Amino acid sequence: MSRTVIDYREIVQIFAKTGASSFGGWSTTALLLEGELVDKRKLLTHEELKGGVAYAQILPGATQVAIVANVGYRLRGFTGALVATISYLLPPTSLIVVFAMVYFHFVHDSSKLTEHLDGLIAALSGVILASAYKIGSKHTTKTWLWLFVGVAFASKL
């Protein structure tokens, strides 16, 4: 496959956006990267991304970070992996620091915070379920496979 070279500014934009919106773990990360780098930009093939996901799953540590590093490496070598990983981790890490500062500095009654977070948790659950459905719809191509999806879902209830 003939590829255009992606510049580092684009890598920062793609991976920062992915890091800021990949609620739900590695599967959401893989889905977002597939949409951007395989379907939209045609910089990777489905097989290359699936291979990266497979390698990431056998490594210890955070699977989504390993996927990001693998994809960044495929795009621009070692420096691409470094830029992609830092860009991916910066938004959620920044949010964690800000939330920790707010929590420890301004919140003195944790029960009030829990009440306010219930709505956020419900919204986040909706985002995760929508992502799971999108992934399932893309890869569960036969009707009978949805039986496995249902059994797996029911087993977690």
Side-chain angles (χ1 to χ4, degrees):
M1 170 183 238
S2 137
R3 296 177 202 251
T4 57
V5 176
I6 185 170
D7 64 31
Y8 293 113
R9 181 182 50 79
E10 290 177 287
I11 290 176
V12 169
Q13 290 172 343
I14 291 166
F15 287 93
K17 179 181 174 186
T18 302
S21 57
S22 61
F23 298 99
W26 70 264
S27 56
T28 306
T29 298
L31 182 67
L32 292 171
L33 291 176
E34 182 178 32
E36 185 67 30
L37 299 172
V38 176
D39 299 334
K40 182 178 172 186
R41 296 179 184 243
K42 312 262 189 260
L43 293 170
L44 297 173
T45 65
H46 287 282
E47 292 75 27
E48 289 172 325
L49 185 61
K50 283 182 186 178
V53 170
Y55 288 130
Q57 289 178 319
I58 63 171
L59 294 172
T63 302
Q64 63 266 38
V65 176
I67 292 169
V68 166
N70 181 287
V71 170
Y73 184 82
R74 286 179 182 271
L75 294 173
R76 290 296 302 256
F78 179 79
T79 308
L82 191 61
V83 169
T85 303
I86 291 169
S87 299
Y88 178 82
L89 291 174
L90 194 59
T93 304
S94 300
L95 282 173
I96 290 168
V97 169
V98 168
F99 283 154
M101 288 171 41
V102 168
Y103 178 77
F104 288 113
H105 192 268
F106 296 109
V107 179
H108 302 290
D109 184 3
S110 64
S111 64
K112 288 182 183 177
L113 178 67
T114 304
E115 289 174 17
H116 288 87
L117 289 180
D118 283 345
L120 181 62
I121 292 169
L124 184 57
S125 298
V127 169
I128 292 170
L129 286 172
S131 294
Y133 178 76
K134 198 171 185 181
I135 292 167
S137 297
K138 192 167 204 156
H139 298 286
T140 308
T141 55
K142 305 209 179 341
T143 307
W144 64 270
L145 289 173
W146 283 101
L147 176 64
F148 289 113
V149 172
V151 169
F153 182 78
S155 72
K156 291 296 183 179
L157 293 178

